[in-house]
Amino acid sequence: YRPILGVDFYNTASYVGSLSRDFAFRFNGWKYNWWGGMPMHLDYPSLHAYLNLPLLSFFSLPQAVQFYMLFTCFLFLFFSYLLFTEIGKDRVLAAILALASSFSIALYGALVWGGSLPYFATQFFLPLTLWCLVKFFNTKNVRWFFLSSLFLGISFFVLPQVVLCFLIRISFFLLL
């Protein structure tokens, strides 16, 4: 048996385990790790840990984290397919492009080599937000724009680095 590489697998699993033992919300919680702890609202964004909690009733802690990562990978590929379909209007080409993106090191590199699980799990917000923006441009329905803004805001609670590095820049260039 060989464990998963990367320090964030341990951090993600320990964060989910800590929340399962001592459940608290971010605004009133206390993280007891690291020799004393700190308020949870000052800690790393933890929406992924909260979304992992229901899986603990079906799987062990490492299995729940692994299943959640596979689920977010599926979401990335699904929303990539929807984005490619909306842009190109060709479902076969969209399926080929989504399948090709599943073999990209940019998708799975953070999972298997870098071990950056929060980054890996947050990637699905990129095609989701862009799909909503493209739907807004194609239909001129303002609901799609607000939905894109909502998903952009939710992704801040997951991992702000992905939002600041990719989502805001790409969304800004699309709006120009």
Side-chain angles (χ1 to χ4, degrees):
Y1 173 74
R2 183 170 179 195
I4 294 176
L5 300 175
V7 70
D8 267 353
F9 182 80
Y10 172 76
N11 288 338
T12 303
S14 63
Y15 207 109
V16 172
S18 174
L19 276 177
S20 70
R21 287 186 303 277
D22 302 313
F23 182 82
F25 294 106
R26 280 189 63 81
F27 62 87
N28 67 349
W30 186 265
K31 185 176 177 185
Y32 292 101
N33 301 0
W34 309 111
W35 300 289
M38 60 190 280
M40 284 179 67
H41 71 278
L42 297 176
D43 194 21
Y44 206 68
S46 57
L47 184 59
H48 285 306
Y50 284 107
L51 295 176
N52 257 313
L53 288 177
L55 296 174
L56 290 177
S57 59
F58 304 105
F59 304 107
S60 68
L61 182 59
Q63 290 172 337
V65 172
Q66 290 171 347
F67 183 79
Y68 182 76
M69 293 304 140
L70 285 175
F71 179 69
T72 59
C73 183
F74 169 76
L75 288 177
F76 177 84
L77 296 175
F78 176 72
F79 289 121
S80 294
Y81 170 76
L82 291 179
L83 174 65
F84 297 145
T85 302
E86 190 66 30
I87 290 172
K89 307 292 188 220
D90 186 3
R91 292 182 182 202
V92 175
L93 179 62
I96 291 170
L97 289 174
L99 183 65
S101 66
S102 69
F103 291 102
S104 170
I105 188 67
L107 175 64
Y108 67 85
L111 179 67
V112 296
W113 285 311
S116 182
L117 299 189
Y119 172 80
F120 176 80
T122 307
Q123 290 183 100
F124 79 90
F125 280 102
L126 178 64
L128 173 61
T129 305
L130 294 179
W131 173 63
C132 291
L133 274 178
V134 171
K135 288 286 279 189
F136 164 68
F137 291 136
N138 289 343
T139 64
K140 304 296 185 219
N141 188 347
V142 180
R143 292 180 193 165
W144 288 108
F145 179 75
F146 288 128
L147 198 59
S148 173
S149 301
L150 175 72
F151 290 135
L152 186 66
I154 290 172
S155 63
F156 265 109
F157 291 109
V158 182
L159 189 67
Q161 291 92 337
V162 173
V163 177
L164 294 173
C165 291
F166 301 111
L167 279 174
I168 289 180
R169 292 177 185 176
I170 294 172
S171 300
F172 177 73
F173 286 123
L174 277 177
L175 289 174
L176 287 179

